[in-house]
Amino acid sequence: MPDEVRSTSDVEEEVAHRFPPGFVWGAATAAFQIEGSTTVDGRSDSIWDEFCRRPGAVKAGDTGDPATDHYRQYERDVALMAELGLGAYRFSIAWPRVRPDGGAVNQRGLDFYERLVDRLLENNIAPWATFYHWDLPQALEERGGWTNRDTAYRYADYVDAVLRRLGDRVPVYTTFNEPWCSAFLGYASGIHAPGRTEPRAAVAAVHHLLLAHGLGMAAVRELALKADAGVTLNLFPVAAADPDSPADREVARLVDGMQNRIFLDPVLCGQYPPDMVEHLAPYGLVELIKEGDLDLISAPLDLLGVNYYRGHLVAAGEPRTGPTDWIGVDNVDFLSSGMPLTDSGWEVQPPGLVDVLVRLHEEYPPVALHITENGAAYRDVIDADGTINDLDRIAFLDAHLRAAHTAIEHGVDLRGYFYWSLLDNFEWAEGYAKRFGIVHVDYTTQLRTPKRSARWYSKVIADNGLPRAAG
């Protein structure tokens, strides 16, 4: 039936699960993953540039240049966002462009972000800027990186420079994206930049990242009075494989503590979880905390970003040696729950999103929530006519958006959803091997092709809701 002659009841039948008025629909990216141009206009090396040079650190020896060439092709990308109907675009600002080597302000780097923000606003797309998505200037890492308390104050200087240029035009800032990854993947297991395997360094990084978050929030409050601000955390539901097993429950408690509560509790409650303070005492956590730190860290948020991909099903196993994300836990086994896998080998677990959101709603002080990342890598196939019918990604999106809607029905104050990612991109240690985008990128020609999932998501945005589930 043509759109112009459909009745209101027809439309209501098709859109059975509406989201609240004003719900924010967007997509997300990160600077190092898409910008390329890593030696252009005064940008200096980040820890990821250095990490990519290490043999074997990144799959196939890939690097962050040219990535998707967004630095030069941002206008085309904003036009794509407008075509898809995005209401908001979450991107990160590259510290090595704004204060190369952590030093003086580089106006040419800020010029790029000003052009990007202005183009977004011209297209009625709200810019959501993240100050830090893992790309610490390499020069600061050589002075200790996030193990050095001074790095938090250098971060505050960087944030100050951004706000003095963009503070009047960006409506939403997030201080950090997934500080868990920066601390534990970067300094404990070493599978991300800077590639260190030092448990005490990882614990120091946790506290200094949180301190920097607090300093960043203070800067936004001073220099961008009309902007909202918060932080984005990657959160996982953690379940014991055998709830009746004390050993399984114990490893679940520890994994949950180091994955979720070690960031949630200081930010939302003003204290580290007591059991984590005890657990991490041998690694120096208590000595890191100075007077006034937790007051800064727990400054009120306007929003909390939730990045959700999957959950953890854990059991107590045999002790092992070697680097691990789970400091002080050498006997945890991560088990399969039997759900389908993405191309990343991650289980597709939509109910876990409900669990995470409801837990935040029930166990923590009230705060507006946004899903700031949720997505899946799949092996896209380009058909003879050039189309990419990524039905598996559509199924993933549909299931997780239904989970988000269920959480809202449970009373969760969920106000937005950002798909990860707008574009296929450099996927950290996986290089270009994994494709998360709803827009396909040919890395040789830089041609962009919206996938079927992009069109599907565009309709969800236009309808502000989902159709009735089949069957």
Side-chain angles (χ1 to χ4, degrees):
M1 182 181 296
D3 287 347
E4 60 267 25
V5 297
R6 288 187 303 172
S7 69
T8 301
S9 61
D10 290 331
V11 175
E12 290 299 328
E13 177 68 18
E14 291 177 11
V15 185
H17 302 287
R18 290 197 180 276
F19 285 77
F23 194 82
V24 177
W25 294 102
T29 65
F32 191 76
Q33 295 181 267
I34 66 167
E35 286 181 359
S37 298
T38 57
T39 60
V40 168
D41 292 337
R43 183 190 180 279
S44 64
D45 272 357
S46 74
I47 54 175
W48 272 94
D49 294 287
E50 175 62 26
F51 192 67
C52 288
R53 297 185 187 114
R54 300 183 189 179
V58 176
K59 189 168 287 187
D62 293 331
T63 71
D65 204 350
T68 70
D69 199 28
H70 175 75
Y71 189 80
R72 295 192 303 136
Q73 304 204 40
Y74 72 93
E75 292 176 300
R76 180 166 64 165
D77 292 337
V78 173
L80 262 175
M81 298 176 212
E83 178 186 336
L84 296 175
L86 298 186
Y89 172 53
R90 177 176 174 258
F91 63 97
S92 74
I93 296 170
W95 187 347
R97 290 199 194 280
V98 174
R99 283 187 176 267
D101 293 330
V105 177
N106 174 33
Q107 297 300 335
R108 289 178 295 172
L110 284 169
D111 288 346
F112 167 70
Y113 295 107
E114 185 169 60
R115 293 193 299 270
L116 173 61
V117 165
D118 288 348
R119 183 53 60 99
L120 290 166
L121 293 173
E122 289 166 6
N123 284 272
N124 298 312
I125 300 167
W128 282 48
T130 297
F131 291 120
Y132 187 81
H133 198 130
W134 308 354
D135 48 359
L136 182 71
Q138 175 62 21
L140 292 181
E141 173 58 30
E142 290 168 6
R143 288 179 245 165
W146 288 111
T147 72
N148 184 349
R149 185 179 174 93
D150 185 65
T151 300
Y153 296 95
R154 301 293 71 75
Y155 168 86
D157 293 341
Y158 150 64
V159 169
D160 180 276
V162 173
L163 292 171
R164 291 186 185 279
R165 177 69 82 90
L166 300 177
D168 62 335
R169 276 165 287 176
V170 174
V172 180
Y173 292 98
T174 51
T175 55
F176 283 85
N177 179 79
E178 300 183 356
W180 183 91
C181 294
S182 294
F184 291 111
L185 300 185
Y187 291 89
S189 65
I191 64 174
H192 277 192
R196 293 166 63 175
T197 55
E198 306 162 41
R200 288 185 69 91
V203 173
V206 167
H207 185 67
H208 296 147
L209 286 157
L210 284 167
L211 174 62
H213 155 72
L215 294 168
M217 288 292 296
V220 174
R221 299 301 189 216
E222 177 185 356
L223 297 172
L225 299 180
K226 295 182 180 180
D228 287 339
V231 66
T232 287
L233 304 177
N234 55 321
L235 302 176
F236 290 63
V238 181
D242 180 359
D244 295 326
S245 164
D248 286 5
R249 291 199 307 270
E250 174 67 3
V251 294
R253 175 184 68 81
L254 291 171
V255 169
D256 175 62
M258 285 192 289
Q259 177 70 63
N260 300 316
R261 293 182 288 115
I262 198 168
F263 292 101
L264 283 169
D265 287 28
V267 169
L268 296 178
C269 303
Q271 64 177 7
Y272 284 101
D275 62 328
M276 289 295 100
V277 173
E278 179 180 358
H279 179 71
L280 295 175
Y283 304 93
L285 176 59
V286 174
E287 291 84 352
L288 295 163
I289 305 169
K290 308 299 182 187
E291 184 176 357
D293 283 3
L294 288 167
D295 290 336
L296 264 176
I297 291 166
S298 61
L301 305 178
D302 298 306
L303 65 132
L304 176 67
V306 176
N307 290 0
Y308 174 79
Y309 291 95
R310 65 198 190 283
H312 291 318
L313 181 66
V314 300
E318 294 299 319
R320 293 179 295 278
T321 59
T324 175
D325 302 332
W326 314 104
I327 295 171
V329 187
D330 62 359
N331 67 327
V332 59
D333 287 337
F334 292 88
L335 307 181
S336 169
S337 59
M339 301 295 285
L341 302 179
T342 70
D343 192 37
S344 300
W346 301 348
E347 292 195 359
V348 179
Q349 300 174 345
L353 177 57
V354 181
D355 295 341
V356 165
L357 295 174
V358 170
R359 179 188 188 183
L360 290 170
H361 173 64
E362 293 181 348
E363 297 184 15
Y364 286 91
V367 61
L369 303 176
H370 290 78
I371 299 168
T372 38
E373 286 185 27
N374 174 240
Y378 288 106
R379 294 181 183 272
D380 297 325
V381 176
I382 303 176
D383 293 340
D385 63 358
T387 61
I388 301 165
N389 291 304
D390 55 337
L391 300 181
D392 38 16
R393 185 172 289 104
I394 291 173
F396 179 98
L397 253 169
D398 182 80
H400 284 82
L401 288 176
R402 291 180 191 280
H405 193 273
T406 297
I408 293 171
E409 292 176 327
H410 280 81
V412 174
D413 185 12
L414 180 65
R415 302 187 186 183
Y417 177 92
F418 291 75
Y419 179 76
W420 181 273
S421 177
L422 175 68
L423 304 168
D424 292 335
N425 55 42
F426 176 85
E427 189 52 37
W428 308 112
E430 294 290 344
Y432 298 100
K434 307 299 181 187
R435 292 183 176 270
F436 277 83
I438 52 174
V439 176
H440 181 274
V441 177
D442 182 318
Y443 295 120
T444 301
T445 65
Q446 294 298 337
L447 176 68
R448 274 83 159 137
T449 304
K451 305 173 188 179
R452 187 169 174 178
S453 59
R455 304 304 181 194
W456 184 92
Y457 186 43
S458 181
K459 187 177 188 309
V460 169
I461 294 170
D463 292 341
N464 194 40
L466 296 160
R468 192 176 304 281

